[in-house]
Amino acid sequence: MRVVLLSLLSIIFTSFCSFAQNTDQVEMADGLRASGMIYVVVAVIAVIILGMLIFLFGMDKRISKIEKSVSNKN
Amino acid sequence: MQKNWWKILASVLILYSVIAGFLFEVPRLPILHESIRNLYFHVPMWFTMIVLYLISVIYSIKYLSSGDEKHDLIAVEMVNTGIVFGFLGLVTGMIWANFTWGSPWPNDPKLNSAAIATLMYMAYIVLRGSMDEEQKRAKISAVYNVFAFPVMLVLLFILPRMTDSLHPGNGGNPGFNSYDLDSQMRLVFYPAVIGWILIGVWIANMRYRTRLIEINS
């Protein structure tokens, strides 16, 4: 019985150890940001967002224009 | 231009959130890894949806007391835009869940409630489409909206908290407070939320103005 208990405990503790190691070495994209090309991706997304925002501003302007012409007619 | 300052503010905040969201340091957590950055993009979708629905219910109440057709139009367009943001929230959440929880739809109470809430607002649109008489349509849908809003809040924020849920902020799971121990994430998260809310209101506002033109011409 005692042997079983001890071996169970040792299994549990070793699993704790392996968990601790895992959290120590969480994979992150450090290398990418340091020397890789993450800035390229940021630039691409910034261009997409900027383009959509300019599109929104254009739509807004067009609606204002139509609003004006409609109110002039009435 | 003075009237448009908040549109420029929204643009600046969103651009900032995209750039800082990719480049700033984030806490190192197992399972999440870099996907923790989704917080800056997935969560603001839901916040925007809730704010748009809130504006909608305010204008529905206003319509019920004033009977002004314009209030009804604002309420509809806020819901129309809110549903789009709700769907964006659902889809981005499914992608995130697929890679962190192992399945796009793990039948979690938070996910199911979010789906029901979205369906409820789609029912609002169907309800409006089913009536031709304008005043009747506006009145009945305004009453529906007044009931739908609190139910949506209960579905999203109360029911999932009463059981276990994988989603942060529910069932004993802490909210995003546990992620941003260094509070660096708040520097990106709050501007992102404000920026997306402003963008949502802006789109809804443009839809409302086109509706007005349609009616006037």
Side-chain angles (χ1 to χ4, degrees):
Chain A
M1 195 60 203
R2 186 173 277 179
V3 177
V4 175
L5 254 175
L6 267 177
S7 54
L8 251 176
L9 272 178
S10 65
I11 288 171
I12 291 169
F13 277 112
T14 46
S15 68
F16 275 144
C17 289
S18 59
F19 267 118
Q21 267 172 2
N22 278 345
T23 45
D24 274 350
Q25 299 165 330
V26 174
E27 249 180 80
M28 293 300 239
D30 302 316
L32 257 185
R33 240 187 332 283
S35 60
M37 296 192 168
I38 189 72
Y39 290 104
V40 181
V41 182
V42 174
V44 167
I45 293 174
V47 166
I48 291 173
I49 298 272
L50 199 70
M52 272 174 48
L53 287 171
I54 291 169
F55 181 67
L56 270 180
F57 271 107
M59 234 153 69
D60 195 289
K61 221 172 161 184
R62 208 156 131 192
I63 294 170
S64 306
K65 225 173 166 180
I66 299 171
E67 271 173 347
K68 245 184 212 163
S69 68
V70 167
S71 66
N72 282 345
K73 254 187 222 166
N74 294 344
Chain B
M1 214 59 200
Q2 285 96 343
K3 254 169 51 188
N4 289 337
W5 64 271
W6 58 280
K7 295 167 187 171
I8 294 163
L9 176 71
S11 314
V12 171
L13 287 178
I14 283 192
L15 273 176
Y16 160 75
S17 81
V18 167
I19 294 166
F22 276 97
L23 298 179
F24 276 19
E25 278 286 314
V26 288
R28 288 154 178 267
L29 298 173
I31 301 173
L32 279 173
H33 302 277
E34 295 280 1
S35 86
I36 195 172
R37 293 177 195 279
N38 272 348
L39 184 84
Y40 304 140
F41 308 106
H42 163 74
V43 184
M45 297 297 121
W46 290 109
F47 280 30
T48 308
M49 181 197 81
I50 290 162
V51 169
L52 289 174
Y53 288 170
L54 175 70
I55 298 172
S56 171
V57 80
I58 289 170
Y59 275 94
S60 279
I61 294 168
K62 269 189 160 178
Y63 173 80
L64 286 176
S65 69
S66 71
D68 186 352
E69 189 194 12
K70 281 179 186 168
H71 292 159
D72 179 52
L73 284 180
I74 295 175
V76 194
E77 289 306 344
M78 288 292 161
V79 168
N80 274 336
T81 318
I83 286 176
V84 173
F85 279 92
F87 267 102
L88 288 176
L90 279 178
V91 174
T92 52
M94 279 167 74
I95 297 171
W96 199 1
N98 197 18
F99 294 103
T100 51
W101 298 341
S103 146
W105 202 278
N107 264 331
D108 191 81
K110 182 82 164 185
L111 277 62
N112 289 340
S113 316
I116 296 168
T118 307
L119 286 175
M120 217 166 56
Y121 275 91
M122 287 169 80
Y124 170 81
I125 301 297
V126 172
L127 178 73
R128 289 189 70 91
S130 67
M131 282 177 280
D132 286 331
E133 199 187 319
E134 276 165 28
Q135 283 193 338
K136 194 171 150 196
R137 176 176 65 201
K139 210 174 241 171
I140 290 176
S141 61
V143 172
Y144 178 92
N145 199 9
V146 170
F147 280 102
F149 186 73
V151 175
M152 186 267 294
L153 289 183
V154 169
L155 278 169
L156 286 184
F157 296 111
I158 298 172
L159 288 181
R161 255 168 228 209
M162 294 173 76
T163 55
D164 264 341
S165 170
L166 289 165
H167 197 283
N170 300 290
N173 265 330
F176 64 89
N177 277 330
S178 60
Y179 303 147
D180 51 353
L181 295 169
D182 52 1
S183 81
Q184 172 119 39
M185 288 191 85
R186 289 168 199 267
L187 280 179
V188 184
F189 178 67
Y190 291 133
V193 167
I194 296 167
W196 282 108
I197 287 173
L198 289 176
I199 291 278
V201 172
W202 184 11
I203 295 171
N205 172 261
M206 286 201 289
R207 289 189 60 117
Y208 162 66
R209 281 158 60 196
T210 37
R211 280 261 193 153
L212 272 189
I213 295 168
E214 270 172 17
I215 288 171
N216 287 340
S217 57

